[in-house]
Amino acid sequence: MRILVLNHEFPPIGGGGGRAAEDICRVLAKRGHHVEVLTSWLKGLPRQEERDGYRVIRIPSLRRQPYRANLLSMSAYVLAGLWVGFRLIRAFQPDVIHVHFAVPAGALAFMLSRLTNIPYVLTAHLGDVPGGVPEKTNRWFRWILPFTYRIWNHAHRIVAVSEFTRRLAMKAYHVTIQVIPNGVDTKAMMPAQLHLNNPPRVLFVGRFMPQKNPLQVVRTMKELDGIAWQCVMIGDGPLMKDVKLAVAEAALSDRFHFTGWIEKRDVFHWLERCDILFMPSLSEGLPVVGVEALAKGLAIVASHVGGFVDLVDHDKNGYLIPQQSPDQFSSALRALLSDPARLLAFREASLEKAKLFDINRIVDEYEKIFVEVSRTGC
């Protein structure tokens, strides 16, 4: 099959949604499908490149930062993508368009589909759903919501990455949606044997923005007096300065390590060297880093939000903490950091849980959809 993938964020740009798309593209190409990706260009990146058997085409979109897209850059991606995408479809002749995020790439998929009669499959990741990430998107949806109904109603099939995302989207758009979680190559990622670090190492991965709640990491770790630990924080964003200041004020600079925005392979490097993933997020779809943490055998302490419910079996491979009780983060971490046997058991449970999110299972589901849509148009 020939598959055109539309996503305004694709590694090294963006977060989990881009990495999820990348993993799907890699497996589809490995299975012999012809895949081309139309995404945003950022200074320093090639305009085109061959990667793992598929082609990535990057278009100017006024994108300035790898970790953040504003409404202007997303609009520019749609406008630039309309011309480039139409020419690409004429040359590539895809059987189906796979679009990640209803906003903004869904708008581009809708227009290209209407112009060319190529069906599109929409994958929603939460930030593109009204109410999904209110602190980030409520202002956008105040203006663009009336224009999004056609995107959802004209999609030939719709997928959500978590049950939470599905329910929220159905409430807004009243369409049929199935759940296919994000996945990873569990066989390639799983360690041969788990080793606890001494001292134990806690990991945060994400954009330093309100949605990810990185300041809560510092507040929580500060409460763990009398316990040995190290904390690694991966990512970048507008709250980075505030987080580093909070660490300094708490006199914890020798126990925190900041990597900045790093490549996927470097994220894997840190996952291999950590014991616990700590994500006090305010909202999540199905975080790719959570799936990756399972595959690397990390215990997970996270907010009881969104897709984390699908990743964490409470008191088995991690803890889910109610948003209204942030003080429970410290007690959950204390229970793991002070008990090596419990921590090892939780990590082993994560390895077992990871088998449910193997990328080959996920691509099997998408492959079925693409074949059905290309043959029947529905």
Side-chain angles (χ1 to χ4, degrees), residues 300-321:
I300 300 176
V301 176
S303 301
H304 194 289
V305 296
F308 275 123
V309 176
D310 302 325
L311 301 178
V312 179
D313 294 327
H314 187 75
D315 204 25
K316 291 184 179 180
N317 75 315
Y319 294 104
L320 292 171
I321 307 303

Side-chain angles (χ1 to χ4, degrees), residues 110-124:
F110 167 76
M111 290 186 283
L112 290 175
S113 180
R114 300 290 282 183
L115 287 171
T116 64
N117 291 319
I118 305 296
Y120 67 95
V121 175
L122 168 64
T123 295

Side-chain angles (χ1 to χ4, degrees), residues 87 218 298:
R87 292 176 60 196
V218 184
L298 274 69

Side-chain angles (χ1 to χ4, degrees), residues 133-145:
V133 188
E135 65 276 6
K136 182 174 73 173
T137 60
N138 272 6
R139 180 166 43 88
W140 301 349
F141 279 111
R142 191 179 307 160
W143 301 101
I144 67 174
L145 181 61

Side-chain angles (χ1 to χ4, degrees), residues 119-175:
Y120 67 95
V121 175
L122 168 64
T123 295
H125 292 268
L126 186 65
D128 49 345
V129 179
V133 188
E135 65 276 6
K136 182 174 73 173
T137 60
N138 272 6
R139 180 166 43 88
W140 301 349
F141 279 111
R142 191 179 307 160
W143 301 101
I144 67 174
L145 181 61
F147 304 100
T148 62
Y149 291 104
R150 287 191 175 187
I151 296 168
W152 293 79
N153 290 330
H154 285 81
H156 292 73
R157 294 286 281 276
I158 302 173
V159 172
V161 297
S162 69
E163 178 60 30
F164 175 76
T165 303
R166 186 187 78 89
R167 290 199 305 267
L168 202 61
M170 289 181 65
K171 181 179 179 181
Y173 295 107
H174 308 289
V175 291

Side-chain angles (χ1 to χ4, degrees), residues 19 161 181-194 203 205 267-268 270-272 274-279 286-302 307-320 343-359 361-362:
R19 283 157 60 192
V161 297
N182 296 325
V184 297
D185 189 344
T186 55
K187 291 182 180 179
M189 291 185 65
M190 282 188 179
Q193 187 174 359
L194 292 178
L203 178 68
V205 184
V267 175
F268 288 171
W270 282 109
L271 283 165
E272 290 168 357
C274 294
D275 302 279
I276 302 169
L277 180 70
F278 177 27
M279 299 294 292
L286 188 84
V288 173
V289 70
V291 183
E292 293 168 346
L294 292 181
K296 288 296 185 183
L298 274 69
I300 300 176
V301 176
F308 275 123
V309 176
D310 302 325
L311 301 178
V312 179
D313 294 327
H314 187 75
D315 204 25
K316 291 184 179 180
N317 75 315
Y319 294 104
L320 292 171
L343 178 55
L344 183 59
F346 274 46
R347 293 189 62 185
E348 290 171 344
S350 282
L351 286 178
E352 187 63 28
K353 183 82 171 179
K355 296 176 183 178
L356 299 174
F357 300 91
D358 182 72
I359 188 62
R361 287 188 177 189
I362 275 63

Side-chain angles (χ1 to χ4, degrees), residues 161-266:
V161 297
S162 69
E163 178 60 30
F164 175 76
T165 303
R166 186 187 78 89
R167 290 199 305 267
L168 202 61
M170 289 181 65
K171 181 179 179 181
Y173 295 107
H174 308 289
V175 291
T176 301
I177 305 172
Q178 72 181 88
V179 175
I180 302 178
N182 296 325
V184 297
D185 189 344
T186 55
K187 291 182 180 179
M189 291 185 65
M190 282 188 179
Q193 187 174 359
L194 292 178
H195 298 280
L196 296 181
N197 292 284
N198 187 20
R201 192 172 283 130
V202 177
L203 178 68
F204 167 90
V205 184
R207 310 177 202 225
F208 282 54
M209 302 182 77
Q211 176 199 353
K212 300 296 183 178
N213 201 15
L215 282 166
Q216 182 62 52
V217 175
V218 184
R219 288 192 289 266
T220 297
M221 302 310 294
K222 185 171 62 173
E223 295 174 9
L224 300 175
D225 54 332
I227 298 178
W229 54 265
Q230 292 287 319
C231 183
V232 178
M233 298 191 73
I234 296 176
D236 203 348
L239 291 180
M240 173 65 86
K241 183 178 179 181
D242 294 335
V243 172
K244 287 186 174 181
L245 179 61
V247 168
E249 290 178 344
L252 294 174
S253 297
D254 61 330
R255 304 181 79 174
F256 275 81
H257 176 70
F258 296 91
T259 70
W261 195 263
I262 58 177
E263 298 279 352
K264 181 177 180 177
R265 63 178 180 273
D266 298 315

